[in-house]
Structure formats: C-alpha cells, structure tokens
Amino acid sequence: MIIVGISAYYHDSAVALIRDGEIIAAAQEERFTRKKHDAAFPHQALSYCLQEAHIDATQIDHVAFYDKPFLKFERLLETYLAFAPKGFSSFRLALPVWLREKLFLKSLLAKELKKFSSSVVWEDKLLFGEHHQSHAASAFYPSPFEEAAVLTLDGVGEWATSSVAIGRGKSLEIFKEIHFPHSLGLLYSAFTYHLGFKVNSGEYKVMGLAPYGEPRFVDTILKHLIDVKEDGSFSLDMHYFDYCAGLTMTNQAFSRLFDLAPRTAEQALQQVHMDMAASLQAVTEIVVLKLAAAIAAETGMKNLCLAGGVALNCVANGKLFKQGSFERIWVQPAAGDAGGALGAALAAYHGYLGHERAACTSYDRMHGSYLGPAFAQASIEQALRDAGAQFSVLEEADLIDQCAQDMAQGRALGWFQGRMEFGPRALGGRSILGDARSPSMQSTLNLKVKFRESFRPFAPAVLREDVQDWFEYDADSPYMLMVAEVHQDKRITVPESEKALFGIDKLKVARSQIPAVTHVDYSARIQTVTADTNPRYHQLISRFKSLTGCPVIVNTSFNVRGEPIVNTPEEAFKCFMGTDIERLAIGNCYLKKEEQDPKLRISYENAFELD
C-alpha cells in the first residue's frame, strides 16, 4: 500500500511516501525550488518521492494532508470575534486567501494532483489529519518504542498548540491539549520577532544567542507574560502580544515591559538582546521540564517522543535528557511542519487504516533521515563537467584519506554524499566539515563560508563509540537534537582577565580542545555517527581520528545564509565557487579550489537576505 503525506500552504512544504508502513522517501519543496521555507504545493518533492519509489501517481492509494483547514478557519473566525473590532485589519488580509484557497483545500489539492494523473479521482483518495495528530504520529510511529508518551509543542495547528498522547503499537491517542492563543512556540516566536529575527526561521538563532546573555528577565516573563503551573500547563497574558488581532507578534506593552523597541534585522546586537534570549530560553526549559515530569508521573511511561517546532530546541532537549524523567527520549528529526507530511502518512496507515507496526530492527525507522535524492557517480561526473569543474575521481579509501588530511590541515571541506537529509539539519549527506580543534574555524565558517552572524555555533560530529570521552553524554544523538557539555577534562581554563568579557566578545576565548564546536557555556549540539547508518561519513571521522587523535569534527549545513541546503551536484559546485570552501567531495569526485577556473567564481555574499 502506497500512502503519500503532504504538508503545504503555510511554511516548509514537504512530501513523504510510505510503502506498507516503511518510509521510502521524504523531502522539502525548498530543496528543489531553492526558495527557503517554500510554502507552495510541493510538486517537485512529490515527483522525487514517486521516482524514488519507482511508481507513478496512479499507484498511490491515499494522500494524507497534515491538518484540517475547516478547523483552522474556525479558529480564525472565533479569534476575530473575540478581539473585534481590533483584529479587522489582519482578518481582512487573511479572509480572501481563505475563501479563495485554503477553505476549499480538498478541491485545490485534487487540482494540483491531477497534474500528476488526470485519470485518478483524487477527491476519493484524500484524507485529512489534525495538525498535532500529524506531529504526534511523526514522533511515535518512526520511533523505536513499542509504547511511549508523546509530547508535541509548536506555534499553533488548528486550535492545539501543545498536546500529550500515548502511543502503544499502532494506537496513538491524544488525551491532553493546550489551545490557541496560549502557545510556547508563539511565545518563542514573539521574542524572535522582537529580537529582530524572522519568525518561523530565526528561532534557532535566539537559542544560539542565549548563552551570551544573563537570564535576568526570567521573573519578568513569568510574572507578566506566561503563567506556568506545577504540571507545566501554561497560559499567556495576551495584553502583551499582537498575533491574535494585529500584524506583528508583540505590541507597545511588550516594548514597555522590557524598555526596548523591536530590533531591526541589521541593527547591532546589544547585551539586553542577549539577556532577553537567555531569559526566554530559561523559561522555555522550565515549561518543558515541568511538562515532562508531570507526563512521566501521570502516565508511568518510560519512553518519550517529541515533535513540533519547539522539539527542535536541542538545548531544552538536553536538559530534559539530564532530568531523567524518562529512560529514553526520541525526537523526530523533521520536527517542524515538514515532518507533518510524514506524520500524516503514518497516521493514515496505522491510525485510520489500522495496520500494525513492523518490528524495529535498527536505531529507529527513519533510515538516519537520509530520505532525499542521491546521485549516481556517472551523473555527478557529467554534472561537474557541464559546470566547467576540474576534478579527479578517487577510490573510496583514497578519497576518505585525502579529505581527512584536508580537515587536519585546517581546510573547509564540502561533503556531498548519498541521500539528502530530511529535516533542517545536515547530517553528513550535504555538509560542510572542518577541524573542531581549530580556534579560527568557527569564525571562518560563519563569516567566509556561511556569510552569517558570527555568534552562531556549530555542531560537533563525533564517533558514537567516543562520545562519552569528549562530552558529558553517553547516548545516541544522530539527528543533532541533543545539547550536552564538553567533558571536563577536555576544557581549557579561561583566564581571569577574560571572564569579565561580555556578549559576543566571549566568542574569542578558546574554552576547550575543540573550540570550533564549544559554545560559550561549554555546550555543544552533538551528532553521534555510527557505521551502520552512514558508513562513509563514519570512515571519514575515523580516519581523521587516526591522523589527529580527535574523533570530533565540525559539521554545518552545505549552504550559505538564506539559501536552502544544496540538493544537486550543480548546486554544491556553485556554493563551492561562491564561498571559501577549499575542498569538495561529491561522490568519488574530489575538487580543489585552486584548480578551478577563476572565471567561475560567483559572489554569494549578498545574494540572500538574512534568514
């Protein structure tokens, strides 16, 4: 049985395809259109998934959409009535789109699907799941657990902003929800907006900025903005927010509370911005930890699954792991709305159609989240020749040895291997790699390769068998969704004179033997790498370890600021030629920057807006 899941029309459109319950392919539309967070119907992602499954559209049994538009429209109407006449301007802008498209989504989806096959009666194949049901399904069904509690936290779906479910076998039942406008995700987005970053894309920047600040506004937030109960349930004081009725996330009352106007995107970050980020992150952790403790006590479950945009907050996840309320935690790597496509398909197969789950024979059922396109060696070589690239073709052992030596010598390496990742993180399929021991690698990658803010941290990729020797963590973290501290014996004592530094100045101080991946609070967003999931990537890090004694490298996504992660060999070569990446490995093709035609260099630095 073939089921296709689709998320679209809001942000991060995506498609997932499952066959008899097994995940065959999944991809975000942005990777094909090159429009970051593309919300349009995912034509190209669907074409890819059909191609990967070796089927045509007539063989699809069901198409599952990730939320219910009528319930969303009900929320829009009720919210307007609750705030009328204040919300008329935002309501007036939203209503035409709903009446033209979103309210009649079934016919709109059928119209788009007819472009794949006009002979299919698509209306008869369409299924609609609730937003948080899709999130919960994306978390539980691919997990390795036979039973688990499932916590979903995001901005808002139809009405729900948070939900708790119990999964057992093929059964998944939501039994608690928090409803709009009370939302931990929207609280985080409100601060994201006020701090000058883009809502629905810049929240992770706020998380990365937090360690530079002091959480001096925690009491202010808890007293005025969010009322948190002992069980983690919460409500927001809407007096300070404008997202229900206005066109912005926060209002003048919010600005007065912090004595701070909203920051513009290019305005310099000040200490107060860092302190607000630190305070918000602390409050987020309070809510998540209280929720988890209460869920564990109430359900008696030993396992927890997480999804929804807030589940991408790897700092909170790391605190949750240390708290120990659950023995095991599994986070959906595509925890945001893109993952809703996968959840919708799985909910249809197991929940609606009642099919049993197959036994889990590996770490989980996600295939390492390597669910996107791969390219044959011959097609890679042809693409590079067509682009005018100069390259050599190496045997695998020679390629791995050369790339490991490049990193050991301080070079930035573009690494394009196998299938593209599903979700926001590059996991060794479409990555830029470097030496974690280099004190200059973090700023070099940020400023000369990614063209982004210097404060942004990078993740360490570490051999799973060595993780406990380098970090205060001894578990799997294949999806870069857990933060832990660098091991005590790998840290460097910070001189007294430099402890007094504030804000971004802290970045200049080396804090460990792997400074390129050590944040200012000694934390790191860990990716553990195993030979069974990504053997070539594991071999590369193993060879680097044999050369240097260090099993840790820098891993960041293969793209520049504002651009989606590269998908094709052509895009990888273009990014290579537009940045200071010095070496590139695509399949078995190996490229040196100095051997390329200088005329092929492009200027990426101002090609994309702030993301």
Side-chain angles (χ1 to χ4, degrees), residues 90-377:
S90 60
F91 180 76
R92 179 174 55 83
L93 291 174
L95 191 60
V97 178
W98 275 94
L99 293 179
R100 185 173 65 249
E101 296 176 358
K102 294 179 180 177
L103 195 56
F104 304 101
L105 199 58
K106 188 170 186 177
S107 60
L108 178 62
L109 288 169
K111 177 183 175 183
E112 298 293 352
L113 290 164
K114 283 186 184 298
K115 296 174 183 177
F116 292 86
S117 174
S118 59
S119 64
V120 176
V121 183
W122 290 106
E123 290 87 346
D124 295 343
K125 293 181 179 286
L126 283 166
L127 301 171
F128 294 84
E130 288 195 28
H131 187 94
H132 272 257
Q133 188 78 26
S134 296
H135 274 320
S138 78
F140 176 63
Y141 290 127
S143 80
F145 308 136
E146 180 59 26
E147 63 174 29
V150 184
L151 174 61
T152 68
L153 297 161
D154 70 357
V156 61
E158 294 87 5
W159 278 105
T161 65
S162 312
S163 75
V164 182
I166 294 293
R168 290 188 176 91
K170 66 181 180 182
S171 169
L172 179 63
E173 298 292 334
I174 292 176
F175 70 92
K176 277 188 177 181
E177 292 182 338
I178 296 173
H179 285 180
F180 183 86
H182 309 294
S183 167
L184 187 60
L186 289 177
L187 175 70
Y188 214 97
S189 292
F191 275 82
T192 299
Y193 161 80
H194 209 82
L195 291 172
F197 304 117
K198 277 190 175 181
V199 172
N200 289 330
S201 69
E203 283 79 2
Y204 64 98
K205 295 186 188 181
V206 177
M207 181 179 67
L209 189 63
Y212 295 97
E214 296 295 328
R216 60 187 177 95
F217 296 116
V218 167
D219 289 344
T220 300
I221 296 171
L222 292 175
K223 181 178 179 181
H224 296 280
L225 301 185
I226 182 170
D227 179 26
V228 184
K229 305 301 183 186
E230 276 307 303
D231 66 353
S233 61
F234 57 85
S235 60
L236 303 186
D237 185 341
M238 298 312 300
H239 173 70
Y240 297 94
F241 304 96
D242 209 28
Y243 57 77
C244 283
L247 300 175
T248 59
M249 294 297 295
T250 61
N251 57 25
Q252 290 184 354
F254 189 99
S255 297
R256 286 194 297 270
L257 182 65
F258 295 99
D259 192 25
L260 186 72
R263 172 181 165 266
T264 60
E266 299 289 358
Q267 182 182 340
L269 286 162
Q270 301 172 15
Q271 187 64 44
V272 64
H273 299 124
M274 302 171 203
D275 293 347
M276 285 181 70
S279 304
L280 171 66
Q281 181 62 34
V283 169
T284 300
E285 291 163 12
I286 289 170
V287 174
V288 170
L289 294 181
K290 284 189 173 185
L291 279 169
I295 293 166
E298 183 174 355
T299 66
M301 287 288 175
K302 305 298 183 186
N303 304 315
L304 178 68
C305 300
L306 295 171
V310 178
L312 294 172
N313 192 307
C314 50
V315 179
N317 294 345
K319 299 283 179 68
L320 189 55
F321 177 84
K322 288 180 70 174
Q323 182 190 47
S325 294
F326 292 90
E327 291 178 5
R328 296 177 70 191
I329 299 171
W330 190 87
V331 187
Q332 165 55 240
D337 276 11
L342 176 60
L346 292 168
Y349 185 77
H350 297 295
Y352 179 73
L353 298 171
H355 294 290
E356 299 292 338
R357 294 165 80 204
C360 185
T361 57
S362 56
Y363 171 71
D364 59 24
R365 297 167 171 87
M366 286 293 293
H367 304 293
S369 210
Y370 304 111
L371 298 169
F375 295 85
Q377 180 65 25

Side-chain angles (χ1 to χ4, degrees), residues 204 207 311-315 317-318 331-334 363 368-370 421 423-433 452 457-462 473 476-484 517 524-529 537 541 553-558 565:
Y204 64 98
M207 181 179 67
L312 294 172
N313 192 307
C314 50
V315 179
N317 294 345
V331 187
Q332 165 55 240
Y363 171 71
S369 210
Y370 304 111
E421 303 89 340
R425 306 280 181 248
L427 302 170
R430 306 287 184 272
S431 291
I432 300 170
L433 308 176
R452 68 185 197 182
F458 288 107
V462 56
Y473 185 85
D476 294 294
S477 179
Y479 304 128
M480 223 179 275
L481 287 168
M482 288 286 173
V483 161
V517 295
R525 189 182 72 208
I526 298 168
Q527 181 198 9
T528 55
V529 180
Y537 190 36
I541 303 174
I553 62 171
V554 179
N555 174 15
T556 188
S557 57
F558 201 153
I565 293 173

Side-chain angles (χ1 to χ4, degrees), residues 375-395:
F375 295 85
Q377 180 65 25
S379 66
I380 292 170
E381 292 178 25
Q382 187 61 53
L384 291 175
R385 281 193 293 269
D386 291 345
Q390 299 297 313
F391 61 92
S392 53
V393 179
L394 306 179
E395 294 295 324

Side-chain angles (χ1 to χ4, degrees), residues 559-577:
N559 64 324
V560 297
R561 180 189 76 180
E563 178 195 40
I565 293 173
V566 299
N567 177 17
T568 66
E570 293 91 339
E571 291 156 10
F573 181 67
K574 180 182 176 184
C575 189
F576 175 61
M577 294 304 294

